Amino acid sequence: MSVEQPGEGEFRSGFVCFVGRPNTGKSTLTNAMVGQKIAITSSRPQTTRHTIRGIVHRDHAQLILVDTPGLHRPRTLLGQRLNDLVRDTYSEVDVIALCIPADEKIGPGDRWIVQQVRQMAPKTTLLGVVTKIDKVDKPQVAEQLLAVSQLLGPEAEVVPVSAAKGEQVELLVDVIASKMPEGPAFYPDGELTDEPEETLMAELIREAALEGVRDELPHSLAVVIEEIMPREEHEDMLDVHALLYVERPSQKAIIIGKRGARLKEVGTAARKQIEHILGTRIYLHLHVKVAKDWQRDPKQLRKLGF
């Protein structure tokens, strides 16, 4: 694939949004392009709750990656609000990249997303990304590239990548950059996201809590950072207090585990990720609360930041 390189002194910048069914590798791709973990990854549908912006810096371009929640047919008020968030994002970006894994056949869900994107953002450049190419052989990759090309039409380019292995990630950066308007950088060099630290912390705690749990929990879990303060006896350490909200007592029991063992594991996993991002040691206090049916209650949704 030949990619048009910018001319001497020409700089391009703009916004790109990855779309696709749950678990198609959107967040993993965001992290691979940024070069650091800023979006949570999970095999659970609707893991992403906020439009986290990752910032990709290159000599010739700056790409701002908007990692939206997956577009879906909503069943709750939370689901409706997440969809509204997605719609707003689609109309504001320069490029929309549809992610479809190499190891899964194109299905009704993919066609529905393309239809929604075309309705909501008819003038936005659409690009195909075949993800997880490390999971299949070359003939299968070629077959999927053709299928995605037929789905999107001849005007849309399709790029195969493996975010996990770092294959063709730079090619994708160049292809997206070539579609951006000329213009200055939006963010200073070295800045990787414009998300508040509290939001990133809350998302990393959610990711750790969702690891290996049953299907019922993902939609019902919200995390709020209550307080961040320097630890009195250790000035180079932060005290972070977080509340994990669930909808039912049975879910609280799942999160806490036998004699608190599971919550301790969640704390250990989340603490390592948060320390890596903040570059400082933290002491993480986790508490689990039941907020009955919060996904359907406008007042509780506001309180939890939705």
Side-chain angles (χ1 to χ4, degrees), residues 3-143:
V3 181
E4 181 196 335
Q5 288 295 335
E8 195 66 41
E10 186 183 298
F11 192 88
R12 293 178 183 271
S13 57
F15 293 77
V16 58
C17 172
F18 291 128
V19 303
R21 286 179 289 105
N23 199 23
T24 52
K26 301 183 292 292
S27 295
T28 307
L29 194 50
T30 294
N31 294 334
M33 286 171 72
V34 171
Q36 183 176 313
K37 179 165 188 160
I38 55 107
I40 72 170
T41 57
S42 165
S43 59
R44 302 284 171 191
Q46 262 182 270
T47 306
T48 306
R49 283 270 173 82
H50 298 271
T51 55
I52 289 182
R53 287 180 166 84
I55 303 158
V56 180
H57 301 272
R58 296 294 183 269
D59 290 342
H60 63 291
Q62 185 181 85
L63 310 178
I64 295 96
L65 312 182
V66 186
D67 189 45
T68 63
L71 191 64
H72 62 289
R73 294 180 175 92
R75 292 193 301 275
T76 63
L77 184 58
L78 172 66
Q80 187 56 57
R81 290 205 176 159
L82 292 177
N83 266 8
D84 291 344
L85 201 67
V86 175
R87 284 191 171 86
D88 291 345
T89 305
Y90 284 179
S91 58
E92 290 166 8
V93 297
D94 301 286
V95 173
I96 295 174
L98 173 71
C99 296
I100 295 181
D103 60 345
E104 291 177 32
K105 288 260 188 278
I106 290 173
D110 301 302
R111 292 188 188 92
W112 183 78
I113 288 169
V114 172
Q115 183 193 345
Q116 294 294 307
V117 167
R118 291 239 154 94
Q119 279 175 11
M120 287 180 232
K123 293 184 175 146
T124 307
T125 300
L126 190 56
L127 184 74
V129 184
V130 173
T131 59
K132 308 184 184 186
I133 60 169
D134 54 300
K135 294 195 166 186
V136 297
D137 56 23
K138 283 191 173 143
Q140 261 182 288
V141 172
E143 201 177 304

Side-chain angles (χ1 to χ4, degrees), residues 42 91-92 116 148 155 189 223 238 255 275-276 278 292:
S42 165
S91 58
E92 290 166 8
Q116 294 294 307
V148 174
E155 69 287 348
D189 206 18
V223 179
L238 291 174
I255 293 272
E275 286 181 341
H276 179 67
L278 296 186
K292 195 170 182 300

Side-chain angles (χ1 to χ4, degrees), residues 4 37-38 74-75 108 184 193 196 198 224 227 239 242 255-256 277:
E4 181 196 335
K37 179 165 188 160
I38 55 107
R75 292 193 301 275
T193 179
E198 287 91 337
V224 174
E227 193 174 38
D239 259 334
I255 293 272
I256 292 172
I277 279 181

